[in-house]
Amino acid sequence: MKVKKQLEGLSPYKPGKPIEEVKEEFGLKNVIKLASNENPFGCSPSVKGAIEGVLDKLAIYPDGYAAIIRRDVANHIEVKETELIFGNGSDEVIQILCRALLEEGTNTVCAVPSFPQYKHNAVIEGAEVREVLLQDGIHDLEAMLEQIDENTKIVWVCNPNNPSGTYVNETEFKRFLAKVPKDVLVVSDEAYYEYVVADDYPHTLPLLDEYENLMVLRTFSKAYGLASLRIGYGVANERLIAKIDPAREPFNTTMLAQVAATAALSDQDFIENCKSKNRDGLEQFYQFCDEMNLPYYPSQGNFILIDCLRPGNDVFNHLLKCGFIVRSGEALGFPTFIRITIGSFEQNEAIINELTNYLS
């Protein structure tokens, strides 16, 4: 059976190792997973009740239009309901955009290292991928502009960037947006938006009125703690939303995800608490890195990329045997780094102690 030529040699996304697999492999009773940038504090307590309230409706298809969560998100971020598209995670919105806009003979521009699904989906559609190296861990927007030509359809700005945690500030982003041709879509992927504390982080939603070629992506997988339910969304000019919506699968977000997201969105106290604890956790790692003289990238996300000054796989494998699942930088484009999700105070302390002993 032949598949599309673009799929030949293309690897599926590889998430962090599952906890149960690590327990079985190394005979461990306790394993701490800090690999996939999940919320260590779970989700709002109101989510469980919301899900229980619809468990007797599992035989019914979900609302394909996602009307209730659409209304609530629109009210929360102050946009029109028609300016939203929902996906099975914001990953699916990325897939929808690639499906709708990319084909052979077109190209897309993205930073590297960055979120791999931009390239992955573009390759499947047969488009050329033009990658621009990060500069000091940050998007080189001027170099990205130079890669745009008459066949460019999408430019991706992962902000904050995964895996570096760095960000493009508002002045730079506005200057960039003003220079991008109006027929090229700029996607600001803001999966970690709720964790951001930088004063000069871009306020992108007000820019939608001025730039019809801008889309903002956000998700309920990170700070809202609904990663297993898979729901995210894109915000853009309603004409663009209407054009790409036919590329969306019917019933692409489940009933459970929709009611959970509605409940989670209503509990902003929970989000603020997680944001505060995340900042405290980052400070734990900053102090550790400073004491150990380890380079790192200050992060606006819920993870930190640390240069261990030795092969990332070696550090990854050592931590794995000790019951800590992280991500090796060798798989992320940073060969001597590891990326660690910020956990609870106790989880952070435990992995810092192990790293201190190992790296010493």
Side-chain angles (χ1 to χ4, degrees):
M1 186 69 69
K2 281 193 172 183
V3 298
K4 293 171 70 172
K5 66 178 185 292
Q6 296 95 306
L7 291 176
E8 295 176 5
L10 199 62
S11 299
Y13 181 79
K14 294 180 181 179
K17 275 180 168 281
I19 290 175
E20 293 307 317
E21 180 181 322
V22 174
K23 284 183 177 180
E24 184 176 346
E25 182 177 352
F26 296 104
L28 300 169
K29 291 184 178 180
N30 298 308
V31 171
I32 296 174
K33 184 184 178 187
L34 299 172
S36 301
N37 302 342
E38 297 145 333
N39 188 337
F41 308 107
C43 60
S44 167
S46 61
V47 167
K48 182 179 179 181
I51 290 176
E52 289 175 344
V54 296
L55 288 180
D56 60 346
K57 299 179 181 179
L58 297 184
I60 302 171
Y61 283 110
D63 173 12
Y65 188 65
I68 295 176
I69 184 60
R70 178 182 297 270
R71 176 202 65 200
D72 291 346
V73 167
N75 289 336
H76 180 67
I77 64 175
E78 298 180 339
V79 299
K80 298 177 184 176
E81 293 182 22
T82 50
E83 293 177 320
L84 291 166
I85 185 169
F86 286 83
N88 185 27
S90 56
D91 302 53
E92 192 196 14
V93 184
I94 293 169
Q95 183 185 56
I96 290 169
L97 289 171
C98 291
R99 194 176 187 184
L101 299 177
L102 299 179
E103 58 187 343
E104 290 190 31
T106 66
N107 68 70
T108 184
V109 179
C110 60
V112 62
S114 190
F115 188 51
Q117 293 306 101
Y118 313 138
K119 178 178 181 178
H120 185 90
N121 285 288
V123 168
I124 290 174
E125 299 304 327
E128 177 192 357
V129 180
R130 298 181 175 181
E131 297 178 300
V132 177
L133 284 172
L134 300 175
Q135 293 296 316
D136 297 322
I138 302 173
H139 284 59
D140 186 345
L141 296 183
E142 287 300 319
M144 292 175 73
L145 280 170
E146 292 173 2
Q147 291 297 318
I148 297 173
D149 63 18
E150 66 276 5
N151 296 317
T152 305
K153 298 298 181 182
I154 309 175
V155 180
W156 308 90
V157 180
C158 188
N159 205 24
N161 185 53
N162 177 14
S164 61
T166 54
Y167 73 105
V168 172
N169 68 38
E170 184 157 36
T171 300
E172 293 168 343
F173 186 77
K174 284 183 175 180
R175 186 186 299 126
F176 172 74
L177 198 55
K179 293 179 180 179
V180 174
K182 301 304 179 187
D183 61 345
V184 176
L185 179 65
V186 176
V187 180
S188 180
D189 187 348
E190 302 176 2
Y192 300 93
Y193 170 79
E194 287 79 11
Y195 288 112
V196 171
V197 297
D199 292 335
D200 59 347
Y201 182 80
H203 297 281
T204 48
L205 294 179
L207 298 174
L208 294 172
D209 293 332
E210 184 178 354
Y211 295 97
E212 294 190 7
N213 63 326
L214 172 63
M215 173 171 274
V216 176
L217 301 183
R218 293 186 183 171
T219 184
F220 286 93
S221 295
K222 304 303 180 184
Y224 286 98
L226 302 182
S228 69
L229 292 177
R230 313 305 302 123
I231 183 165
Y233 59 93
V235 197
N237 178 278
E238 58 189 345
R239 286 181 288 277
L240 174 61
I241 296 294
K243 287 179 180 179
I244 67 172
D245 199 42
R248 177 180 59 83
E249 294 292 332
F251 313 118
N252 63 324
T253 59
T254 68
M255 182 189 303
L256 299 183
Q258 290 176 28
V259 299
T262 296
L265 190 67
S266 67
D267 190 354
Q268 289 301 307
D269 288 341
F270 175 81
I271 297 299
E272 288 302 314
N273 186 42
C274 291
K275 181 177 182 178
S276 176
K277 289 179 178 177
N278 183 69
R279 276 294 117 191
D280 292 342
L282 280 168
E283 290 297 332
Q284 284 179 267
F285 282 101
Y286 294 163
Q287 181 178 345
F288 158 72
C289 290
D290 291 340
E291 290 174 353
M292 297 289 290
N293 294 314
L294 299 176
Y296 65 93
Y297 289 104
S299 177
Q300 292 296 320
N302 68 333
F303 56 90
I304 185 170
L305 192 65
I306 300 173
D307 189 349
C308 296
L309 305 175
R310 64 188 69 191
N313 281 351
D314 290 354
V315 185
F316 166 81
N317 287 322
H318 172 80
L319 290 173
L320 199 63
K321 294 173 184 176
C322 297
F324 299 98
I325 310 173
V326 299
R327 290 301 295 270
S328 168
E330 294 196 40
L332 303 174
F334 291 88
T336 61
F337 287 69
I338 57 170
R339 191 193 69 191
I340 305 175
T341 301
I342 306 304
S344 66
F345 177 87
E346 293 77 15
Q347 290 173 332
N348 299 335
E349 192 173 53
I351 194 170
I352 285 171
N353 287 338
E354 185 56 47
L355 277 170
T356 300
N357 292 333
Y358 175 66
L359 297 176
S360 296

